[in-house]
Amino acid sequence: MESKKIAGERAVDYVRDGMIVGLGTGSTVYWTLSRLGEKIKQGLSIQAVATSVQTESLAKEFGIALIPFSKVESIDLTIDGADEVDPEWNLVKGGGGALLREKIVADASKRLIIVADESKLVRHLGKFPLPVEVVKFGFEWTMRRLSGLGCSVKPRLSGDNPFVTDNGNFIVDCSFESIVRPRELHREINDIPGVIDNGLFIDRASRVIVGCQDGTVKELN
Ligand code: DER
C-alpha cells in the first residue's frame, strides 16, 4: 500500500491552479484523490472529470469539484493507474472495470501520468488477463471470437452474477500469457463485432511514476 501511496501522491506535484484534471480509477489513484483533497483545503483550485462512479464518490468525499465530461473542451492532465506497464509504456488497464471511460478521458487529455507500484512493471504485457468491454448482446459469440486470437476468455463476475460496467456492458478477461505485439493485438480485438474497447493503452502515457518498496519514487522518462 505504501508504494502505491507515494506514487499516487507524487503525481499531484504536476497539478496546477486552474487545471481541468482527469481522475482515474483504482487503489493507487485513491492516494492521488486524497492528496488533491488536502491541497484543495490549502487553496488549490481545480475542476475534475471522474472516470468511474467509484471515483466520483471518492472525489466528493475528498471535496474535489467535479465537472461533467460533456462540459469540457479538453483536459489538462489525467492521473490514472495501470495493471501492467511495459518498457515502451504500453499499458494493460481495466482491472477496476473502468477502461472505457478511462480511455476516452485519456484521449481527451494533453498529458497522462500513470501511477503504479513497481510490481506493475513488466518486460512484456499479458501476464495480467487483458480486460475487454463487450456489449451484452451475443457476448458468448464475442467471447468465442476473442478466444480465436489465442487466449482463454472468462466473463468477469461480481459474486455469482456478471460484472456490469458503469456503461451497462460486460467485461471479459482474456489470458494471453504474453503479448508481444500489443499495437496489432489492440486492433485485432477491436475489429471483433460486439467488442467496445480493450484494456491496451498504446502510446498514451506521458509520464510513469513508480512507488518502490524501499520508500523511493522513480519518475520514468
Ligand atoms: O482499472 C484500471 O485500469 C485501474 O487503473 C486499475 O487497474 C489500477 O489498479 P490499482 O488498483 O492497482 O491502482
Side-chain angles (χ1 to χ4, degrees):
M1 181 272 278
E2 190 55 27
S3 309
K4 289 189 172 186
K5 183 171 187 290
I6 54 180
E9 290 176 342
R10 169 65 68 85
V12 176
D13 293 354
Y14 292 89
V15 177
R16 295 283 175 275
D17 240 12
M19 275 189 171
I20 294 181
V21 181
L23 304 177
T25 296
S27 58
T28 310
V29 161
Y30 171 89
W31 298 106
T32 304
L33 301 176
S34 171
R35 181 84 184 114
L36 277 173
E38 289 165 11
K39 301 284 277 185
I40 286 165
K41 285 193 185 108
Q42 295 161 14
L44 175 71
S45 167
I46 61 166
Q47 288 184 294
V49 172
T51 56
S52 65
V53 169
Q54 176 197 40
T55 292
E56 273 170 22
S57 53
L58 282 172
K60 287 174 188 151
E61 183 186 323
F62 290 125
I64 302 170
L66 292 173
I67 181 172
F69 183 55
S70 56
K71 295 268 189 282
V72 302
E73 277 301 300
S74 74
I75 294 171
D76 297 300
L77 168 66
T78 286
I79 301 169
D80 203 349
D83 298 297
E84 291 184 328
V85 184
D86 79 2
E88 285 72 48
W89 296 3
N90 294 313
L91 314 172
V92 165
K93 285 178 56 53
L99 69 93
L100 183 58
R101 296 189 185 187
E102 289 175 331
K103 197 178 281 188
I104 295 169
V105 167
D107 195 50
S109 303
K110 293 170 191 151
R111 288 187 297 159
L112 171 63
I113 293 183
I114 295 298
V115 290
D117 66 22
E118 45 195 345
S119 72
K120 307 296 183 75
L121 303 183
V122 296
R123 283 272 334 122
H124 289 297
L125 303 176
K127 198 152 184 52
F128 188 91
L130 178 63
V132 179
E133 186 153 346
V134 300
V135 294
K136 288 181 181 175
F137 175 82
F139 83 95
E140 301 90 345
W141 174 252
T142 307
M143 283 175 62
R144 280 169 57 184
R145 292 277 272 107
L146 282 164
S147 63
L149 298 178
C151 62
S152 63
V153 188
K154 283 202 184 106
R156 188 175 296 184
L157 300 178
S158 171
D160 296 332
N161 302 312
F163 172 87
V164 179
T165 69
D166 291 346
N167 318 300
N169 304 309
F170 287 160
I171 293 270
V172 295
D173 292 300
C174 302
S175 298
F176 285 94
E177 289 312 316
S178 179
I179 299 173
V180 289
R181 298 175 301 110
R183 190 184 304 277
E184 291 79 357
L185 182 62
H186 179 274
R187 211 176 17 250
E188 289 165 357
I189 290 173
N190 282 10
D191 276 351
I192 295 175
V195 169
I196 299 163
D197 209 335
N198 69 78
L200 287 169
F201 283 50
I202 310 294
D203 291 340
R204 292 190 179 277
S206 14
R207 181 175 293 269
V208 177
I209 297 177
V210 182
C212 303
Q213 291 251 329
D214 63 5
T216 60
V217 183
K218 279 191 293 193
E219 297 204 20
L220 308 184
N221 49 34

